[in-house]
Amino acid sequence: MTGGPRSVLFVKKPNDAAATARLCELSEWLQQNGVQVYVENAVAREVPHARAYAPPPEGRAHAPPAPRPEIDLCVTLGGDGTVLHLASLFSDDRCPLPPVVSFAMGTLGFLTPFSAAEAPAVLSRLLARGGAEEPVFCTLRTRRQCEVRWRGAAQWTHTVLNECLLDRGDSPAMVLLEVSVDGRRVTTVQADGLILAPPSGSTAYSMSAGGPMVAPSVPCTLVTPVAPHSLSFRPLIVPEHSVIEVHLPAASRAQARASFDGRHAMRLPRGASIVCRASRYALPVINRRSLDADWYEGITHKLQWTGSLRPLTRE
């Protein structure tokens, strides 16, 4: 792509006055520099001269691709939840995603490397026509395409950046799930639930359930049980290209509930399956430094991962 971005989509943290004020400020500045600004329908009235962005419908399997405006760059103002919401606006895996730069206006986050105060300087560098002297670092955050199958046919398809969760919902009984990888049965797990996550989701629910932290550039998928009945079932890491199928057998005492990045919660009847595979297009996230340096800094400082219980100085 020659030159700088010509169209920018803003997504902000909902019901946040500070994020709205910063959005209006940056939108006006970008439009003065000849950049077309898009915002979601819900906030279009609050941002003068911005165009409303209507994402294509999500979920139905094998639906024809819907036309969408040409977006060169995405900007989020919020936390990790705002980035997840942005990714959901580009759920169609038949089209590449535009790069996203995220400015933190939330709490703990691993997808927001820049502070809101840095927004003018960072955007100025990204908008430089003819190439900037400083390099722009980018990490491809891989996603997973989760297909819900029932009676031998695909019913719904959702793309996740954090995780696909299957759990027992409001049932008091544990759910029984059969797990297969690349067509080969791996195990049958009885648990409160099961998490399928790409590396970006390793610091989310999967970590809380005892799963490992995995750097974004590692090509893999995490399979993390939630409170398994058997202590022998430990979290698995399988190759990114592997196809994982989780089946709810007729023998399960309870139905299961599925959700995708915390959205689209649905009840799975007995006999249904979820097939998880690597998506074709990743989410390009602009970083402060190269490779996984931002991620390591995040787990070190935000989680105090390397904190020592011993005093740092000697008397």
Side-chain angles (χ1 to χ4, degrees):
M1 176 180 175
T2 59
R6 297 174 176 84
S7 59
V8 175
L9 170 64
F10 276 92
V11 176
K12 75 174 188 70
K13 184 178 180 181
N15 304 318
D16 188 289
T20 301
R22 183 55 61 96
L23 169 57
C24 293
E25 172 190 330
L26 295 174
S27 172
E28 181 180 0
W29 174 72
L30 286 173
Q31 292 180 75
Q32 290 174 354
N33 284 270
V35 178
Q36 179 60 59
V37 173
Y38 289 85
V39 295
E40 293 184 89
N41 285 330
V43 297
R45 294 182 179 180
E46 305 175 44
V47 186
H49 309 297
R51 294 183 182 177
Y53 177 80
E58 178 184 0
R60 279 292 180 187
H62 309 305
R68 69 187 190 197
E70 190 67 32
I71 302 296
D72 296 331
L73 177 69
C74 296
V75 178
T76 68
L77 301 169
D80 282 1
T82 309
V83 180
L84 293 177
H85 175 63
L86 167 70
S88 73
L89 302 181
F90 298 89
S91 58
D92 191 344
D93 199 36
R94 290 165 289 190
C95 303
L97 282 73
V100 55
V101 56
S102 301
F103 299 101
M105 297 192 73
T107 53
L108 179 67
F110 294 91
L111 299 173
T112 52
F114 301 100
S115 68
E118 297 176 284
V122 173
L123 291 176
S124 294
R125 185 158 60 91
L126 295 178
L127 292 174
R129 314 276 178 176
E133 294 183 0
E134 297 181 59
V136 176
F137 300 110
C138 184
T139 294
L140 294 178
R141 294 272 184 169
T142 59
R143 306 186 298 167
R144 297 295 175 269
Q145 197 173 53
C146 301
E147 185 180 79
V148 181
R149 301 187 63 84
W150 167 240
R151 293 179 177 174
Q155 304 294 330
W156 298 89
T157 301
H158 297 286
T159 306
V160 300
L161 182 63
N162 250 11
E163 77 271 318
C164 169
L165 169 66
L166 295 91
D167 64 11
R168 58 188 177 90
D170 56 4
S171 172
M174 288 185 290
V175 68
L176 187 70
L177 299 170
E178 296 175 347
V179 181
S180 301
V181 178
D182 294 330
R184 178 175 303 211
R185 180 183 174 276
V186 173
T187 189
T188 299
V189 57
Q190 194 170 11
D192 283 354
L194 191 70
I195 300 168
L196 306 176
S200 293
S202 69
T203 50
Y205 190 8
S206 176
M207 181 178 68
S208 299
M213 293 186 290
V214 180
S217 62
V218 178
C220 68
T221 302
L222 284 71
V223 182
T224 307
V226 180
H229 186 258
S230 172
L231 294 178
S232 63
F233 189 173
R234 295 301 186 216
L236 303 176
I237 298 180
V238 301
E240 181 182 55
H241 63 264
S242 290
V243 178
I244 304 168
E245 180 174 358
V246 182
H247 177 69
L248 181 67
S252 178
R253 292 177 58 191
Q255 291 184 327
R257 180 181 63 183
S259 61
F260 309 88
D261 279 350
R263 300 158 52 91
H264 306 294
M266 64 177 63
R267 180 65 63 182
L268 291 182
R270 296 174 184 86
S273 300
I274 288 185
V275 179
C276 176
R277 53 174 56 89
S279 62
R280 177 178 299 178
Y281 295 108
L283 178 67
V285 177
I286 295 173
N287 290 336
R288 187 183 298 275
R289 283 172 287 275
S290 63
L291 300 177
D292 295 323
D294 287 20
W295 183 82
Y296 285 113
E297 182 177 353
I299 64 172
T300 300
H301 294 285
K302 295 177 182 179
L303 295 182
Q304 298 183 359
W305 185 46
T306 57
S308 175
L309 296 178
R310 294 179 295 180
L312 299 178
T313 58
R314 294 181 180 179
E315 296 182 0

